[in-house]
Amino acid sequence: MASSATDPTLPLDPRLAGRLSFLPRLPTKPALPPGRHALGLFESRDAMLCVPDHVDPRLPTPLVVLFHGGGGSAEKILPMLEGHAKARGFLLLAPQSLHPTWDLVIAGNGPDRERLDRALAEVADRFLIDPSHLAFAGHSDGGSYALSLGLTNGDRVSHLIVSSAGFLSVHVQAGAPKIFLSHGTRDEQIGIDRSARHHARLLQGAGYDLTYVEYDGPHAYDPSVVAQAVDFFLSDFFA
């Protein structure tokens, strides 16, 4: 059977467009105890999962997937949300790009999408994920990846928390995730006029539920704005 890669008359391969195969399901493995855990899926740059205290794996639990910036790692980006995860009781998954930054930034959806699918499946095998509170989040290149992949999989992802994203690349739109978009007005690395302000106009024009925050700061996430984003994510969650 011909594939869309060889027959231009067939639809685009959804995997190349960034579509995930992951779907929440009932856990089949023992839950992990509180703390940070390497999931043991990859020999290098493994995905990390932070489990807060007192999570009942039989009850729906919010999950945030946090993407690092270019040249970053799970260890570098986890402090952005790890304290909130512990205090507010949500699972925090930090995948890592195979190369210095995400495949979508370099050439298109590929191994990082596949690795993310495996990491999400592993979390779902151990905890009951609340599908109405499953967020993609990230800063810089990680913000771009969260925004692009989140809009592509908005029928699976409920919320997007996007900090200082440089670009938006979407071939297929699905669902309607709620979006929290933030950017520093003194960002000299990714100017706000060509990124967040432009993205906000596009997202509002497309009808997305958008919360847009500008703050006085450089190319770095602002802890007070991150706290606003966590409130945005959990505003209608009742444990």
Side-chain angles (χ1 to χ4, degrees):
M1 180 180 294
S3 71
S4 58
T6 58
D7 186 346
T9 66
L10 294 177
L12 180 69
D13 185 335
R15 295 169 298 179
L16 297 178
R19 289 288 288 164
L20 297 167
S21 60
F22 163 79
L23 287 171
R25 67 274 196 134
L26 293 176
T28 59
K29 298 179 181 179
L32 296 171
R36 279 192 192 184
H37 303 274
L39 292 182
L41 299 174
F42 312 108
E43 291 185 4
S44 63
R45 296 182 65 80
D46 197 10
M48 303 291 295
L49 180 67
C50 297
V51 181
D53 293 332
H54 310 304
V55 170
D56 187 337
R58 300 165 298 177
L59 296 179
T61 302
L63 169 67
V64 176
V65 182
L66 180 59
F67 301 103
H68 62 72
S73 65
E75 289 77 9
K76 288 182 179 180
I77 196 62
L78 278 172
M80 178 177 171
L81 285 171
E82 190 170 20
H84 293 286
K86 292 177 179 178
R88 304 290 293 271
F90 60 85
L91 296 164
L92 180 60
L93 173 65
Q96 302 190 80
S97 60
L98 183 61
H99 300 293
T101 194
W102 301 97
D103 51 12
L104 184 59
V105 180
I106 300 171
N109 291 289
D112 291 336
R113 182 202 56 76
E114 296 171 4
R115 287 159 63 94
L116 175 60
D117 252 335
R118 287 187 62 188
L120 284 167
E122 181 66 18
V123 176
D125 279 343
R126 297 184 180 275
F127 296 93
L128 185 60
I129 297 171
D130 181 356
S132 67
H133 290 88
L134 199 173
F136 281 0
H139 174 72
S140 192
D141 275 3
S144 299
Y145 197 56
L147 181 58
S148 300
L149 206 64
L151 295 180
T152 302
N153 294 279
D155 53 343
R156 292 165 167 79
V157 180
S158 62
H159 296 72
L160 307 179
I161 298 173
V162 181
S163 171
S164 305
F167 71 90
L168 168 60
S169 178
V170 177
H171 297 288
V172 176
Q173 291 173 260
K178 297 178 180 179
I179 305 168
F180 187 100
L181 180 67
S182 64
H183 208 109
T185 56
R186 293 186 287 108
D187 190 334
E188 296 183 354
Q189 183 171 332
I190 300 175
I192 192 171
D193 284 329
R194 65 179 175 86
S195 54
R197 289 173 180 167
H198 176 64
H199 297 153
R201 288 192 294 270
L202 289 176
L203 295 168
Q204 288 169 338
Y208 286 100
D209 183 344
L210 174 69
T211 298
Y212 177 55
V213 177
E214 295 185 2
Y215 56 92
D216 180 22
H219 188 67
Y221 62 82
D222 182 289
S224 65
V225 175
V226 173
Q228 291 180 50
V230 173
D231 288 340
F232 153 86
F233 173 53
L234 296 175
S235 63
D236 60 348
F237 178 75
F238 303 95

